Structures are given as structure tokens and as C-alpha cells.
Amino acid sequence: MSVLKRIEEIEAEMARTQKNKATSNHLGLLKAKLAKLRRELLTPSSGGGGGGVGFDVAKTGVARIGFVGFPSVGKSTLMSKLTGTHSEVGAYEFTTLTTVPGIVQYKGAKLQILDLPGIIEGAKDGKGRGRQVIAVARTCSLIFIVLDVLKPLTDKGIIEKEMEGFGIRLNKKPPNIAFKKKEKGGITVTNTVPLTNFDADEIKAVLSEYRIHNADVNIKEDCTIDEFIDVIEGNRIYIPAVYVLNKIDSISIQELDLIYKIPNAVPISSQHGWNFDELLETMWSKLDLVRIYTKPKGKLPDYDQPVVLKRDACTVEDFCNCIHKAILANFKSALVWGNSVKHNPQKVGKEHVLDDEDVVQIIKRI
Ligand SMILES: Nc1nc2c(ncn2[C@@H]2O[C@H](COP(=O)(O)OP(=O)(O)OP(=O)(O)O)[C@@H](O)[C@H]2O)c(=O)[nH]1
Ligand SMILES: [Mg+2]
């Protein structure tokens, strides 16, 4: 039986199974089976069917933002307006057939924008180019899910489901679960908070599906069995997303009020350039970047061209490496002004973690 057929069967069985105490172990088992089958489907076969031209784009800039959405929702129009890069706009569907990269400069940071083709549905089941689109989405630091406000919101659900099926978790944090396989000793499950969604037996059922019989599991938040499976599968990617609701020029103020209630959504009109300020501001805060100004000795800091770092890699060492690889070799210490220090300036070592808009002066060894 094909993998797709097996997935279908398991999904059907899950749909008919009522969730209660007696069935929860079995449901957990089915979920684990499903996760394994999906992984099988997404690992490119030796034939390399996933290849295809035009989808691999070199990374430039400190962050990459991918536009994902159905055809004709206005992705290319938005791309052209934001970056000045021309991406074909058409009144017909599937105007964009490959990935078009562009650059947007914001707050001194160079950000790469990728306009992706409007093919999505069925991607998680390995269908055609949708799979390539989502494979590129996996490499992004932020995803703009572009939706047409005139189309039903079911589109949003379909896109989310496709991304989920591809191991992408949108606007979520990795679950706080410590999991460690052992040689022997059986399975130990401990939890530091009460678990309301599943119990230790369900975890054991899932682990047995993975043929794991010895492991320590420490659960530190009230998560779901799906999140536990994510930890076992291990290849999940956690990416922030913004729902860009385009074409608000064609709806009423009352309708606009309603769509403003969707979390993480920014209504815009690509064509008219409406509400781009909010879109860019939301983009910036979701990217969580840190700007560091350099200060040469005896001179004023350079406020025009910050060194832009990612929040999870913004030590003085990261800062030095970003300017030039050779700097660290002669690094003695650094003087820092700003939020990351108590005194202004403060002398710090290369492990010091910087904060947004800090000013840094490097002191070299003589
Ligand atoms: N009314 C209105 N129409 C828009 C807006 N933005 C884009 N459009 C129109 O929507 C159509 C599709 O725009 P594109 O930018 O080509 O859409 P796309 O998402 O790139 O489409 P594909 O490349 O086919 O996936 C064009 O006719 C645009 O003029 C908008 O803000 N308001
Ligand atoms: Mg397009």
C-alpha cells in the first residue's frame, strides 16, 4: 500500500475514533504512526524527485522573509512595492512560477524577501511544486502568509495545515520537554506541572511505536501529545508568521474591524500601499533582530549602518565576527554603552550578550 493511502487510512481511523480515556493510548499511537509516515513522504527519495530548478536562492542579508499564499492574492504586487524588485504581476493565476528574491532595507538592516509561487495545496503529501515552495519556507526566518480578504478564511486553515504537515510550526515555541534515550532502565516520565492533555501511559504507547523502550522524559509544560511527538521526531522548525490580509481596498470599514481581530494579522492593500508601516513594524518585531552601533576610538558612533545580529546570536564575539573574522585574534575587551550594561560605558569580554541599539568599541591587544 502506498504511503499516501496509509496516511489516508490512519486519518480516517482517527476521525472515527472518539477521544476518551479508553481510546487515548490508541489515538496517541495513531498520531505517532502518522508522524512517521509523513516523515517518510517528505524525505526525498533516492530518485531526487524534489529537485527542480529555480527554488534554491542564495541567502543574503541577516534574515529571510518568505511570501506564501494561494495564486493571485497579491504576493508579487507586495514584493514589488516593498523592495522595488520587479516580480511579474498578473490578473491570472500562477503568474509567478519560480522564487523571486529581493531586498528590503529597514532600520539599517538588509532583509531578503522571497516571492514564492502560489502553489500550496497537497504540498505536505508530496505533491509537485508545492512541496518545493514549503521546503523553501522552511529556510525562512519569518513567513508572510498572504491572504486575499475577499476569499474565505478557509484558505488560512489550508495553508497552516500544509505547513504543519511539513514540520513547520508557526508562531509557536519548541515544547519544554527534556527527552533522553538510555541503554536500559525502562521509561521514566516526570512532570513539573500537572498534565491535562495526556498521561504517562499515552507517552509509553507513543514511544513503543518508535521502538524506544528506555528513556527519561521530563515534561515542564502542559503540552499535547502532538507536541511530544514533535520532540521525538526532532526535525521541527519553529518560525514566526504574519497573516498579511491583502486587498482591503475592496472591503468596508465594518469588515475591516472584523478581520483586525485575527491574531498576528496585518490588513493591507499592496496596490495602494496602505498600512505598510504597520506591516514593516510587525515584521521587524517578529524578526527579533538586534542593532549594534560601532564606535571607533575617539569618534562618534556610526548610527547609519548598524551591525544587525539575531537575538539568539548577539554576543560581542558574534558582533566581531560579523565585522571581520580577523578582529577576534587581536581582541582584548570591549566598551559597551546601552541596555545590556549597568554602567556606561562598561568593559566586557567577548561572551557578553548585547542588546538592541547598544554602542560598542573594541579594544585591541597591542
Ligand atoms: N484590489 C486589489 N487588487 C490587488 C491588490 N494587490 C494585488 N492586486 C491584484 O491581484 C492580482 C494578482 O496579483 P499578483 O501580485 O500577481 O498575485 P500573486 O499572489 O503574486 O499571484 P501568483 O504569482 O499567481 O501566485 C493582480 O491583478 C493585482 O493587480 C490590492 O491591494 N487590491
Ligand atoms: Mg506572483
Side-chain angles (χ1 to χ4, degrees), residues 83-116:
T83 64
T85 307
H86 180 70
S87 184
E88 205 64 46
V89 171
Y92 46 90
E93 303 203 322
F94 299 118
T95 313
T96 312
L97 292 172
T98 179
T99 303
V100 183
I103 290 277
V104 62
Q105 284 251 22
Y106 192 66
K107 296 193 200 263
K110 275 200 180 71
L111 309 167
Q112 184 177 42
I113 304 257
L114 295 184
D115 179 18
L116 293 164

Side-chain angles (χ1 to χ4, degrees), residues 143-158:
I143 292 171
F144 276 7
I145 295 179
V146 188
L147 300 161
D148 182 334
V149 282
L150 296 174
K151 292 200 182 136
L153 267 178
T154 41
D155 283 4
K156 175 173 175 281
I158 293 171

Side-chain angles (χ1 to χ4, degrees), residues 294-362:
T294 45
K295 184 182 146 24
K297 197 177 169 196
K299 289 191 190 151
L300 286 173
D302 177 1
Y303 287 115
D304 291 331
Q305 287 187 348
V307 171
V308 183
L309 302 169
K310 292 184 179 135
R311 177 79 65 186
D312 56 7
C314 64
T315 60
V316 171
E317 181 168 352
D318 296 318
F319 167 78
C320 292
N321 282 333
C322 198
I323 301 174
H324 198 284
K325 292 271 177 270
I327 291 183
L328 270 184
N330 290 318
F331 178 89
K332 187 176 168 215
S333 61
L335 288 176
V336 177
W337 292 255
N339 284 333
S340 72
V341 288
K342 284 202 190 94
H343 315 286
N344 281 303
Q346 189 170 317
K347 201 187 258 185
V348 301
K350 61 179 195 287
E351 301 77 23
H352 178 77
V353 178
L354 296 162
D355 201 353
D356 192 28
E357 302 215 76
D358 278 358
V359 171
V360 176
Q361 181 186 325
I362 304 289

